[in-house]
Structures are given as C-alpha cells and as structure tokens.
Amino acid sequence: FNVLKYLLRRLSIDDGDYDAIIRMLVETFAVFLTSIKVGHGPEKKLPTVLFQLGTEADRVEIEKAWPPICPADRNHFELRFEFPFGCPSSLAAHFAASAHALGICVYAYINGAIVLLKDSKSLIFARFDEEVKHGNENA
C-alpha cells in the first residue's frame, strides 16, 4: 500500500481512492492480493506485484510447509495439468498467484504457492513444474 502511494505520489489522489485503485489493479491482474508478508498474524491481504516474489523454489522451505508425507491432521490437495505444446511464461505465475486468494499463503515463489485454507487443516500447493516425470507410460 505504501509502495502504491509512492508510485502515484505525483498525482492528485485522495487517500480514500487507493482502495478503488488497488481493486482496479487486482481486477486487471497488475497486482494480486496475498497474505505471504503477514506471516502467522491475522488474515490480511496485501497488494503485491507478481514479480516481487522469488524466482527459485527453496526446497527446505517447501518441505517445511508441504512435508513429503502428509500429517494425519492435514489434507493436501494437488492437481496436475500438462501442457504438451508449452505454456506461456506468465500463465504459471498468474495461476500460482491466484491461489493466494484461497487462504493464508505460507510459502510462495514466482511459479508456486502453498496456501493454508480457511479450515486451517487443508493445504493447496499450486506450482508449475517445467519437467513432468511420468510413471509407467509404456506399461
């Protein structure tokens, strides 16, 4: 929010207009709302420019938020999509960013997000993997 005020500092904008400007930027996908910077505090969505997120996934942080074996008191949801003819570079990042709106983001990078849903026991890991490892295709 303060970054937005700084960027628009040369314009004559009333403080009450910033919420409408943020809504417009979210609706046009220029920014998205995330709780990633708030951490474990109260749920509050902050406007974030997509490319402020890190470009590389931190495997240690991912395993903390999304352990290889799902704990008994949690639910993990994972959907996989394949794009055999490629994927536009911004599509993956925008897909991951859209997951932030589903709950509290516990970890995020440019092509992925781990989001704790409002029931506080279900996690979604939205991510784009460049290489898809197939199982027994020829079996």
Side-chain angles (χ1 to χ4, degrees):
F1 187 69
N2 291 331
V3 172
L4 181 61
K5 282 187 174 185
Y6 174 76
L7 292 174
L8 302 175
R9 69 190 179 283
R10 300 204 190 280
L11 302 175
S12 299
I13 298 174
D14 293 330
D15 283 348
D17 292 335
Y18 284 101
D19 285 339
I21 292 169
I22 289 171
R23 277 195 314 276
M24 176 193 67
L25 292 172
V26 168
E27 289 173 5
T28 59
F29 305 107
V31 300
F32 66 101
L33 299 178
T34 184
S35 57
I36 189 67
K37 293 182 181 178
V38 177
H40 296 290
E43 184 177 341
K44 179 180 177 187
K45 304 291 183 180
L46 300 173
T48 302
V49 176
L50 184 64
F51 295 101
Q52 284 181 309
L53 297 173
T55 56
E56 298 295 322
D58 182 333
R59 298 288 168 212
V60 173
E61 290 299 317
I62 287 175
E63 284 195 14
K64 279 189 217 172
W66 185 271
I69 298 174
C70 181
D73 63 337
R74 290 279 167 114
N75 299 309
H76 284 182
F77 295 99
E78 188 172 355
L79 296 174
R80 294 178 186 243
F81 299 94
E82 289 188 32
F83 298 96
F85 300 108
C87 176
S89 60
S90 64
L91 178 65
H94 281 90
F95 170 72
S98 68
H100 289 241
L102 300 174
I104 297 172
C105 190
V106 293
Y107 179 72
Y109 59 101
I110 193 72
N111 287 331
I114 300 175
V115 179
L116 181 63
L117 298 182
K118 293 178 182 176
D119 68 4
S120 296
K121 66 177 187 173
S122 298
L123 287 169
I124 293 178
F125 191 177
R127 71 176 172 225
F128 178 74
D129 291 324
E130 293 283 338
E131 292 182 28
V132 177
K133 295 179 179 100
H134 295 283
N136 298 325
E137 289 181 331
N138 299 322

